[in-house]
Amino acid sequence: MPPQDMTTAASPSGGTAPEHPGPDRLLDSLQHQVAVFARRAEQTRLGGVGQVRNSMDRAAYLLLNRLDKEGPMGVKALAAGMGIDSSTVTRQVAPLVDTGLVKRTSHPEDGRAVVLQLSPRGQARLEEVRASRRELMSQVTDGWTQEERDTFCTLLTRFNASLAARQAAYQPQND
């Protein structure tokens, strides 16, 4: 039996999914497509196009995005918002501080506390990477209608939220 072609497989068997699959076949197909997506995302790192392609790792991109969207915050708040451990955030932020993309500043209300903030250099770099990744998404979905793009984004957002909720439900609470 030839190896399965992961680039075109629409179902676990490599063929197209049946029109009305049973619940198990549908869930098998879904988990397979998620696995293929994860592989493709990792292979390309969904890094964009041109010179910026693959120029920022996933952890850095997600940290910079959160700081951009939510503003300055401490390590604990950043970690909680991302669903990861504070020590992981500390390790991931260190090179961003070293390269000047993130700066540490005093908390505005409590000068003893430190907050992380996107630097002007970090903001410029994030915009450059976003533009490259936006172009990649445009190219990948070029033949899609706006409605298909909207639906895919809505469903992928919902899927990610469900995964995050499940992860949060199974993590030990630090009370």
Side-chain angles (χ1 to χ4, degrees):
M1 186 168 149
Q4 185 171 336
D5 179 1
M6 294 293 286
T7 61
T8 59
S11 71
S13 64
T16 57
E19 199 169 308
H20 298 291
D24 287 346
R25 284 196 51 134
L26 181 61
L27 292 174
D28 285 348
S29 183
L30 177 60
Q31 68 79 23
H32 176 78
Q33 290 305 318
V34 169
V36 171
F37 173 76
R39 173 178 271 172
R40 292 282 170 257
E42 190 57 36
Q43 285 173 338
T44 65
R45 292 174 53 202
L46 294 181
V49 296
Q51 290 184 319
V52 181
R53 183 174 185 264
N54 293 335
S55 64
M56 183 179 288
D57 70 43
R58 179 181 58 233
Y61 184 73
L62 292 171
L63 286 166
L64 294 178
N65 259 308
R66 183 157 296 270
L67 289 173
D68 182 47
K69 293 185 184 314
E70 297 184 23
M73 66 181 75
V75 169
K76 285 184 181 181
L78 190 54
M82 297 182 71
I84 57 179
D85 188 74
S86 294
S87 63
T88 301
V89 168
T90 299
R91 280 192 310 276
Q92 292 175 348
V93 165
L96 300 175
V97 171
D98 293 345
T99 58
L101 300 178
V102 171
K103 58 184 179 177
R104 288 185 171 102
T105 60
S106 296
H107 190 283
E109 297 166 10
D110 179 0
R112 299 169 296 170
V114 173
V115 294
L116 301 167
Q117 179 176 348
L118 195 59
S119 71
R121 181 173 180 214
Q123 182 70 53
R125 184 76 181 100
L126 180 59
E127 289 304 323
E128 179 183 43
V129 171
R130 275 184 182 153
S132 175
R133 290 178 177 201
R134 189 179 308 116
E135 177 59 25
L136 175 64
M137 292 299 105
S138 176
Q139 290 176 13
V140 169
T141 62
D142 184 47
W144 298 21
T145 65
Q146 185 61 42
E147 183 179 359
E148 288 170 329
R149 285 176 172 174
D150 289 343
T151 299
F152 182 71
C153 188
T154 298
L155 291 173
L156 189 57
T157 300
R158 184 176 171 190
F159 183 79
N160 282 329
S162 293
L163 283 175
R166 185 179 190 286
Q167 180 184 9
Y170 288 101
Q171 286 185 340
Q173 300 298 317
N174 297 328
D175 292 331

